[in-house]
Amino acid sequence: SSDLDHIDPWLVWLKKENVKPIVLLHGWADWMMQGGSPAPADWDFFIKSWSDYAAEAVRHFNVERKEGCRDWEIWNEPDG
């Protein structure tokens, strides 16, 4: 089970309505910030965590679910 499973009902609805999504990944989880600090204490950890999360999202939507999401906006900094 993926942390992204909660989005699956939306993917089903979008496909039913023939809507092509633009997937937006932004923000961060507390675990990426190592304790919820306002800026990463360890940028290498943050960058690795964020890139792993983005890859997981692509894998979940397009490999596991075969949704074919083509349009993505992936933020690359926690304060952006």
Side-chain angles (χ1 to χ4, degrees), residues 4 6-7 11 19 21 26 31 36 45 53 61 63:
L4 298 164
H6 69 280
I7 298 171
L11 295 172
V19 174
H26 69 93
W31 59 264
F45 177 83
Y53 176 74
F61 295 155
V63 176

Side-chain angles (χ1 to χ4, degrees), residues 1-6 8 56 59-60 64:
S1 174
S2 168
D3 287 338
L4 298 164
D5 289 344
H6 69 280
D8 292 350
E56 169 65 16
R59 185 184 62 73
H60 181 78
E64 290 177 2

Side-chain angles (χ1 to χ4, degrees), residues 23-65:
V23 182
L24 173 62
L25 300 180
H26 69 93
W28 59 88
D30 283 345
W31 59 264
M32 289 180 186
M33 302 298 276
Q34 294 182 321
S37 63
D42 180 344
W43 277 99
D44 290 335
F45 177 83
F46 177 81
I47 291 167
K48 172 81 169 94
S49 298
W50 184 244
S51 61
D52 288 350
Y53 176 74
E56 169 65 16
V58 172
R59 185 184 62 73
H60 181 78
F61 295 155
N62 289 341
V63 176
E64 290 177 2
R65 294 192 49 83

